[in-house]
Amino acid sequence: MQKVFKSCDKLDQKCYESYITEDILMEHAAMGMEKYIRTHFAPGNSVLIVAGPGNNGADGITLARLLYHDYEVKLHLPYGIKSLMPKLQLKRANALGIEETEELEDADVIVDALFGAGLNRLLDDLSIQLIHKMNSFKGHKIACDIPTGVAEDGTLMPLAFNADTTLTMGAYKEALYLDESKDVIGKVERINLGMSSQLYEGESDTFVLEPEDMKLPTRDKEATHKGTFGHAAIFTGEKEGAGIIAGTAATRFGAGLTTLVIHEKIMAPPYLMHATTVPDNASALAIGMGLGGHFEEEFLQKYVINSHLPIVLDADALSSMLLLSIIEQRDREIVLTPHPKEFVLLWMILTGEVLKVSEVQAKRFEMVRMFNHKYPHVTLLLKGANTLIMQEENLYINPLGCTKLSKGGSGDVLSGLIVSLLAQGYPAIDAAIHGSLALAIAAQNYQGASYAMLATDLIDEVAKLELC
Ligand SMILES: NC(=O)C1=CN([C@@H]2O[C@H](COP(=O)(O)OP(=O)(O)OC[C@H]3O[C@@H](n4cnc5c(N)ncnc54)[C@H](O)[C@@H]3O)[C@@H](O)[C@H]2O)[C@@H](O)CC1
Ligand SMILES: Nc1ncnc2c1ncn2[C@@H]1O[C@H](COP(=O)(O)OP(=O)(O)O)[C@@H](O)[C@H]1O
């Protein structure tokens, strides 16, 4: 996993004061982009660099110098040059023979160095025209630091550069991970600014997860039996399919036993047991998926609230005042898995504040932190294109999910994976992180059409993760 920061201003400032100058940082920023281009594109390819008036533009001008002669470099400066660094960089570039181009033409590589972290107002007509044109080009699109049109807090402006790759300077930033900007940010790579990233970054309590972080359930001992791997009890209500999907996922992910807790007899697959109460040896519970109003309060009080077993609260459980009372239990492993609409409901129950889904989406990081401030012992997993997971003071971003997951049933699989890990004895935060990673990586591995994946296909991919 990699550290993530709200902004890099303080980190840059620390460098200037303690280690190296702005000029050297900028040289490394440009060298990082140069390396990316040289690795992916042979000399002779054309590179269009659109550079703005500030330091982001200066990065672009420096890149032009580094590529000039080996590549067919076209440098466009639509706003001229305003501050000291771009002036210095342009002087150096001009001395080498680089001239500005007036025409914007397609190229093999298009670099957006218009505005980076300094974008502080809506784009004007000139930028809008430029970005429309750059987006229409076929070349590989690289954003320097952050695509123009994504504000420092990650908010997406009505128009943004549509990057294939964002080469972000020095450290990963939260602004790269708001859901609404995921499409324009593309793949994210970090560029080191002339020193180890450890030294540049310092401490952070926010992290972005990588595929290598996923830990699968271990079965490294032979002297075991089904009881060794826990017993997941999944409350199955009105929409029994949700319980069956979650139960199948829990069993596939290693739970030694899985029982669907039911009120009425259902047709369950043979590997799932069913019972009308929670089995005595259950080691974790999941409730909410397809639940409806199936179980009476007395029953829930006895088997869910008074139980103190580790628990996943999902879907309908997140709008039940009774079930949400569980989050006050400080001695219990608790995972909440709302999607943004469910978060709105649970936030209203917990605080009385009525939010719109769009408000939650616009400030996902802030909302998760506000929840965490009230309930630090609870693991909150806010679903989305970039899932956020937080417990105690640590926040983890899982950006690895994909659109194949946008189908009913994916969330039930996730609940099943998490309750499986809880049943096997993993702490709530680990169960949420590794369940969420397994879901995302399994979806990536699915080979069918992007629109075709069923929850059962996803579970089949989970079953193969160890072999990948
Ligand atoms: N600070 C440093 O030492 C480093 C900075 N780097 C680069 O510098 C960037 C930040 O540089 P700056 O702070 O100069 O910011 P930018 O270059 O992103 O933009 C600042 C300029 O854009 C203008 N501006 C902002 N919004 C505008 C709008 N909507 N329409 C028209 N003009 C607008 C501002 O008035 C200012 O002139 C980073 O994103 C990164 O690319 C890198 O070189 C790494 C080192
Ligand atoms: N476009 C996407 N990119 C990444 N992950 C996605 C995307 N769409 C859905 N997901 C993930 O799929 C799951 C869907 O859960 P949910 O909406 O609760 O589905 P369900 O209908 O099964 O309850 C979540 O984990 C969510 O993060």
Side-chain angles (χ1 to χ4, degrees):
M1 70 184 74
Q2 302 288 340
K3 290 175 191 162
V4 176
F5 295 83
K6 268 213 170 100
S7 125
C8 286
D9 287 354
K10 280 196 191 133
L11 306 181
D12 285 344
Q13 213 52 49
K14 192 180 75 187
C15 285
Y16 305 152
E17 284 159 16
S18 335
Y19 318 113
I20 48 183
T21 61
E22 193 171 18
D23 194 7
I24 297 177
L25 284 194
M26 189 160 285
E27 197 68 24
H28 280 89
M31 277 162 51
M33 292 194 283
E34 178 204 7
K35 187 171 166 202
Y36 178 90
I37 291 172
R38 286 190 187 272
T39 308
H40 296 91
F41 297 87
N45 274 289
S46 54
V47 181
L48 168 68
I49 302 168
V50 181
N55 280 348
N56 196 251
D59 287 350
I61 300 168
T62 312
L63 173 67
R65 167 166 53 79
L66 295 172
L67 294 176
Y68 182 65
H69 190 70
D70 294 347
Y71 291 79
E72 193 192 317
V73 172
K74 295 174 207 160
L75 177 64
H76 186 59
L77 301 168
Y79 288 91
I81 293 301
K82 287 196 180 138
S83 49
L84 223 57
M85 282 309 289
K87 268 189 195 148
L88 174 68
Q89 298 299 354
L90 188 61
K91 202 169 140 201
R92 290 171 179 167
N94 290 154
L96 215 61
I98 299 174
E99 287 173 13
E100 297 163 39
T101 48
E102 295 306 320
E103 289 301 306
L104 266 198
E105 278 172 15
D106 201 354
D108 300 310
V109 182
I110 321 286
V111 179
D112 161 31
L114 207 42
F115 304 113
L119 183 67
N120 54 18
R121 52 189 189 273
L122 279 178
L123 297 173
D124 60 15
D125 287 346
L126 175 58
S127 301
I128 289 173
Q129 271 177 24
L130 283 168
I131 292 172
H132 268 306
K133 195 139 194 203
M134 288 157 76
N135 282 347
S136 74
F137 291 156
K138 296 212 163 46
H140 182 79
K141 299 185 183 66
I142 298 174
C144 170
D145 200 25
I146 189 162
T148 297
V150 178
E152 197 183 358
D153 66 355
T155 316
L156 187 62
M157 294 187 177
L159 180 69
F161 180 68
N162 209 335
D164 296 306
T165 303
T166 293
L167 299 177
T168 203
M169 303 306 166
Y172 295 93
K173 294 129 192 134
E174 283 178 17
L176 299 170
Y177 298 108
L178 265 195
D179 279 10
E180 61 176 13
S181 302
K182 191 166 179 175
D183 281 314
V184 302
I185 280 174
K187 251 179 55 197
V188 184
E189 286 189 24
R190 178 192 51 206
I191 288 178
N192 277 8
L193 293 180
M195 74 199 78
S196 144
S197 59
Q198 303 276 327
L199 283 179
Y200 175 82
E201 291 177 338
E203 292 306 309
S204 175
D205 48 22
T206 306
F207 305 89
V208 60
L209 298 169
E210 299 172 302
E212 305 75 67
D213 294 317
M214 180 177 68
K215 292 205 182 84
L216 296 169
T218 46
R219 287 217 168 199
D220 50 4
K221 294 206 169 56
E222 292 301 326
T224 59
H225 54 86
K226 56 184 180 273
T228 314
F229 300 103
H231 189 164
I234 296 174
F235 285 76
T236 303
E238 280 171 13
K239 294 180 189 141
E240 62 190 54
I244 293 173
I245 291 171
T248 306
T251 311
R252 279 284 201 213
F253 213 37
L257 291 165
T258 305
T259 292
L260 302 182
V261 180
I262 52 166
H263 239 15
E264 288 157 15
K265 217 163 169 47
I266 59 166
M267 290 289 292
Y271 48 82
L272 296 179
M273 300 183 290
H274 44 90
T276 51
T277 59
V278 174
D280 287 344
N281 64 349
S283 53
L285 310 176
I287 187 163
M289 305 79 71
L291 190 69
H294 217 56
F295 295 93
E296 289 108 35
E297 289 204 354
E298 219 173 301
F299 183 88
L300 295 175
Q301 185 72 45
K302 179 170 175 194
Y303 288 106
V304 185
I305 294 167
N306 296 349
S307 114
H308 288 266
L309 285 176
I311 189 165
V312 181
L313 295 172
D314 184 31
D316 296 347
L318 302 169
S319 55
S320 155
M321 212 181 291
L322 177 70
L323 290 172
L324 276 181
S325 69
I326 290 172
I327 66 177
E328 301 291 348
Q329 299 174 355
R330 301 215 162 231
D331 55 347
R332 193 168 182 176
E333 297 291 314
I334 304 166
V335 183
L336 260 57
T337 57
H339 58 52
K341 201 167 167 193
E342 288 158 354
F343 186 88
V344 165
L345 295 174
L346 84 88
W347 191 252
M348 191 174 66
I349 293 173
L350 298 178
T351 67
E353 187 186 359
V354 182
L355 293 170
K356 293 195 187 108
V357 172
S358 56
E359 288 171 308
V360 172
Q361 286 297 79
K363 42 183 187 174
R364 285 169 63 83
F365 284 89
E366 194 183 328
M367 293 315 304
V368 167
R369 288 198 175 102
M370 276 161 68
F371 176 92
N372 174 261
H373 188 68
K374 283 172 172 289
Y375 306 101
H377 63 291
V378 172
T379 297
L380 176 69
L381 181 153
L382 179 61
K383 292 169 178 172
N386 293 314
T387 287
L388 304 183
I389 304 168
M390 188 162 193
Q391 191 217 34
E392 299 303 342
E393 68 275 13
N394 291 326
L395 196 161
Y396 303 87
I397 306 161
N398 178 0
L400 302 171
C402 57
T403 187
K404 293 178 215 172
L405 287 165
S406 298
K407 194 173 281 182
S410 303
D412 305 327
V413 175
L414 179 66
S415 297
L417 300 178
I418 298 174
V419 73
S420 182
L421 294 180
L422 289 177
Q424 291 171 70
Y426 291 80
I429 184 66
D430 291 354
I433 288 175
H434 300 298
S436 166
L437 284 172
L439 183 88
I441 295 168
Q444 283 181 11
N445 291 349
Y446 172 70
Q447 291 295 317
S450 59
Y451 49 80
M453 190 175 74
L454 303 177
T456 44
D457 297 326
L458 186 54
I459 295 169
D460 288 347
E461 292 299 334
V462 168
K464 291 185 270 183
L465 283 173
E466 198 183 51
L467 314 173
C468 295

